[in-house]
């Protein structure tokens, strides 16, 4: 990380995989650009990571993604790190922190559509497992979108694997807003 000037803080490995896959789709090598994508192992670690990398730590530029449920924690951590006060969502976005509705998987499923996600699941040989989940009493009759979110979250490594696969399968102009805005923000940092 010696040549790193920016750290993108994301909650977990699936978010990291999605950001790196999108950068690749844009022909970018974030590490070569001095940008490190760091999975924090959960949103509750935001204060620690901002303390390590932000103004009071290594003084690096920071950016990131968070889920809607963690927006308040992120806002508070950004304020405690000296990056603003009484921050609005717009202020957070100006700092490079973008909020996903529900979570990134939810964003990806909505953007690609359930039919598109099922095509990816089928191409990976997992459609039978997904159909089994759909037949379970707890999931039978639920919206396909919700079933797919549950499916992505079950099974070892599935969420990580599918986050990058969904990014790869999606047309760039359909990319979820938080991912798109993060990539634009990072592009702006490289140019300055």
């Amino acid at each position: 990380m010696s040549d790193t000037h920016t750290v993108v803080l994301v909650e977990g490995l699936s978010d990291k995989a999605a950001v790196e896959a999108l950068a690749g789709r844009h022909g970018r090598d974030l590490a070569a650009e001095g940008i490190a994508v760091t999975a924090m192992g959960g949103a509750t670690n935001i204060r620690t990571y901002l303390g390590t990398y932000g103004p009071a730590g290594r003084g690096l530029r920071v950016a990131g993604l968070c889920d809607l449920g963690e927006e308040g924690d992120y806002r508070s951590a950004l304020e405690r790190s000296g990056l603003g006060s009484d921050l609005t969502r717009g202020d957070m976005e100006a700092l490079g922190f973008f909020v996903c509705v529900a979570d990134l998987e939810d964003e990806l499923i909505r953007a690609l559509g359930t039919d598109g996600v099922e095509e990816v699941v089928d191409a990976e040989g997992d459609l039978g497992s997904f159909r089994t989940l759909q037949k379970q009493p707890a999931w039978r009759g639920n919206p396909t979108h919700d079933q797919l979110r549950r499916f992505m979250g079950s099974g070892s490594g599935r969420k990580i694997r599918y986050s990058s696969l969904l990014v790869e399968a999606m047309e760039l102009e359909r990319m979820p807003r938080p991912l798109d805005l993060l990539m634009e923000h990072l592009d702006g940092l490289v140019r300055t």
Side-chain angles (χ1 to χ4, degrees):
M1 276 193 146
S2 61
D3 294 333
T4 301
H5 58 75
T6 302
V7 177
V8 178
L9 302 173
V10 295
E11 293 183 33
L13 293 173
S14 63
D15 303 316
K16 180 179 187 213
V19 170
E20 290 174 342
L22 181 56
R25 295 276 316 273
H26 284 282
R28 299 179 66 178
D29 179 347
L30 295 179
E33 294 175 20
I35 300 169
V37 182
T38 301
M40 301 183 298
T44 58
N45 295 320
I46 185 65
R47 284 192 179 113
T48 299
Y49 279 83
L50 283 173
T52 299
Y53 296 112
R58 293 186 51 199
L60 302 176
R61 293 182 219 172
V62 288
L65 292 173
C66 71
D67 298 345
L68 183 63
E70 281 78 31
E71 181 178 5
D73 291 336
Y74 271 58
R75 180 179 290 114
S76 172
L78 289 166
E79 291 172 354
R80 286 183 185 202
S81 295
L83 294 169
S85 60
D86 298 319
L87 297 174
T88 65
R89 185 175 293 176
D91 295 332
M92 289 175 62
E93 289 182 352
L95 291 170
F97 286 83
F98 305 96
V99 179
C100 298
V101 174
D103 56 26
L104 186 56
E105 289 72 32
D106 174 63
E107 294 271 3
L108 291 168
I109 293 167
R110 262 189 295 110
L112 187 55
T114 56
D115 290 343
V117 174
E118 283 192 37
E119 287 176 18
V120 173
V121 170
D122 189 22
E124 288 298 300
D126 288 336
L127 193 58
S129 295
F130 176 60
R131 296 290 183 237
T132 299
L133 178 137
Q134 287 182 304
K135 293 174 187 172
Q136 293 175 356
W139 290 100
R140 193 177 312 135
N142 285 315
T144 305
H145 177 96
D146 295 344
Q147 293 170 337
L148 284 165
R149 277 188 71 214
R150 173 66 180 129
F151 179 74
M152 299 292 164
S154 64
S156 179
R158 188 178 286 155
K159 195 174 184 181
I160 299 165
R161 189 174 95 226
Y162 275 101
S163 65
S164 59
L165 289 170
L166 297 180
V167 167
E168 292 291 340
M170 195 175 312
E171 296 171 17
L172 288 174
E173 58 271 4
R174 293 183 65 188
M175 209 54 64
R177 181 180 184 275
L179 272 179
D180 232 9
L181 291 176
L182 176 63
M183 209 51 54
E184 285 177 24
H185 180 79
L186 296 177
D187 190 41
L189 294 179
V190 171
R191 292 181 191 176
T192 59

